[in-house]
Amino acid sequence: LMAAPPGGCRQAQAAWQWWQQVLKNPKYICPPMVHQSEAAFRTFVQDHGIDFGFTPMWHACRFQWADQGHAKSKVEVDGWLYDAQAGGRPVIAQLCAITPEQFVYAAKKLEPYVDGIDLNLGCPQPVAAKAGFGAYLMDDLPNVKAILSRACQELSVPVSAKIRIFPELDTTLEYVRMIEECGVYMITVHGRLREQRHHQGQPDYDVIKAVVDTVSIPVVANGNICSKQHADEVMAYTGAHAVMSATALLYRPTLYADTDYYETTNARFHDKCEVLTDQEAQLRVEHAWQYLDYAERIRPPYFRYIRDHVVSLVKPTLFAQGMLDMFDMLNRNLKVCSIEQYRWLLIHLFHRLDCPLCQERVRAEVAVREARTAKRKAHAKVLAATHRLASATADDSSTDAAASVETLTSLVDKLQCEYSKVAPCITAQLLPSFKYIRNMEGVLTCSYELP
């Protein structure tokens, strides 16, 4: 879909056509989260009630630096481009930028792989203040207009914006009118001020309601959404067409799938002294285990994504149970740097929680290790026999060359037959042990296949 030119009804019609046909009338959206809304997590939450997701926030300037030969930026950008393509569609990529040139340059690199490009106008963190992006572009509205106008004119995919509100309602409404006039197709409104960092205070849903009444394009509500029931209430009150929640979704990836889960607030999600039932504590660890399944299938660009997710998911359990040693092991031990290591730590955590699935998981992990070892040994035997066969064939001076070649050829054929029996069947043999894992057959095939 080409971005429609600014101008009232035509823009609104194009925006709603994109909303309905491309985004499929979403209600629950995975927000852009730095290091934490990568393809594996997006796929996880989309399998549990989320309609579509945003990529993590990416720095537009790095795309220019990568093309200028900056090695670190090249690695980062390659990871970002991989992540944009690795998950399902639809997906919107979010960028932070401080100039129109930066934003458009990066967006053109991403537009073949995504269904929209979002400008971050809401990040309130100190790094954004230092660089001048995110919510700190609210101090330079002409620049915001220049970035969005140029992007809407030059990009082949729709442009959206995620904002925070001003202290004055009239200023906020003028702000969203200006953004709409630039030609954007969607506005996400976080109902807090720029100064309200770290979830300080409550979002102002009345301002979001006023924004919905002011613009003619889709509006997404954001801020303190902590359950599916709460999300539906916010949409009903504000008239917003969808909602997104970051903190609650990180702690509860099945937030929009579980309608019978206890009602909570973001304050409770952050409470290190939260009192959890045994079932709730085990459920948090279960979610971490499920995330590792997705991370095996869709590898995140950097391992810190995996570490951050596992820690976010199990931290309430660890603090509620007083397991600070496990928290240090999961969060601060850089020697824990593989999915397999995290699985064993989670098994240990299940054991300490006296979870009935613990023994089953131990058996399954041991079976995986044994099968992988058998497969590698078979593969090594084939390679060694093949090498000996090649050497015997080349040694024409040997009187037993013909016999050696015949013997080794027979050995290679035998080992190839054995290997072919071991390799493809590992998943099928272990499948009964992995009934508790979704799509485990695909995970094993992908994760344990020899190069």
Side-chain angles (χ1 to χ4, degrees), residues 52-282:
F52 83 93
F54 282 69
T55 69
M57 183 198 75
W58 295 328
H59 292 262
C61 60
R62 305 287 171 81
F63 289 82
Q64 292 178 319
W65 297 352
D67 287 348
Q68 293 168 3
H70 190 273
K72 184 178 178 181
S73 296
K74 179 68 165 62
V75 172
E76 286 183 322
V77 169
D78 287 346
W80 296 345
L81 292 173
Y82 155 79
D83 187 78
Q85 302 171 64
R89 304 285 288 269
V91 62
I92 294 178
Q94 189 187 68
L95 295 169
C96 64
I98 57 175
T99 68
E101 293 75 21
Q102 277 184 359
F103 186 74
V104 172
Y105 187 92
K108 286 186 175 180
K109 297 284 187 179
L110 288 164
E111 63 182 355
Y113 314 115
V114 298
D115 300 287
I117 304 290
D118 188 78
L119 175 62
N120 185 320
L121 296 172
C123 180
Q125 302 303 326
V127 64
K130 183 177 180 179
F133 65 80
Y136 296 90
L137 282 170
M138 296 167 72
D139 296 331
D140 189 2
L141 296 187
N143 191 29
V144 173
K145 184 175 182 179
I147 294 172
L148 291 174
S149 296
R150 180 169 172 181
C152 291
Q153 292 169 6
E154 296 189 19
L155 298 181
S156 61
V157 294
V159 178
S160 61
K162 187 173 186 293
I163 69 169
R164 288 201 170 216
I165 64 175
F166 286 93
E168 302 82 18
L169 176 61
D170 290 343
T171 306
T172 300
L173 298 183
E174 291 176 9
Y175 185 35
V176 296
R177 287 192 196 98
M178 179 201 75
I179 291 174
E180 182 183 23
E181 290 170 0
C182 292
V184 303
Y185 278 27
M186 179 180 75
I187 299 176
T188 301
V189 184
H190 187 139
R192 288 187 174 95
L193 304 175
R194 182 174 68 188
E195 294 72 24
Q196 291 178 294
R197 295 192 292 116
H198 305 301
H199 309 282
Q200 296 172 352
Q202 294 298 312
D204 194 333
Y205 294 128
D206 289 321
V207 174
I208 298 178
K209 182 177 181 180
V211 170
V212 173
D213 295 337
T214 299
V215 300
S216 56
I217 58 177
V219 175
V220 179
N222 178 220
N224 209 50
I225 308 295
C226 53
S227 70
K228 185 175 183 179
Q229 179 182 343
H230 187 205
D232 293 337
E233 292 171 353
V234 169
M235 283 189 284
Y237 180 78
T238 63
H241 309 98
V243 296
M244 63 171 61
S245 174
T247 302
L249 196 63
L250 287 176
Y251 281 80
R252 176 74 176 181
T254 58
L255 184 73
Y256 296 109
D258 298 342
T259 55
D260 58 346
Y261 186 60
Y262 63 90
E263 289 301 306
T264 186
T265 64
N266 270 345
R268 189 177 182 191
F269 279 115
H270 285 289
D271 186 3
K272 293 180 179 179
C273 299
E274 178 182 356
V275 178
L276 301 177
T277 66
D278 290 344
Q279 182 181 1
E280 290 166 354
Q282 292 175 10

Side-chain angles (χ1 to χ4, degrees), residues 327-341:
F327 178 78
D328 289 340
M329 181 66 70
L330 289 165
N331 188 45
R332 299 172 184 172
N333 189 347
L334 297 182
K335 292 182 179 180
V336 180
C337 56
S338 72
I339 292 177
E340 187 178 22
Q341 288 174 311

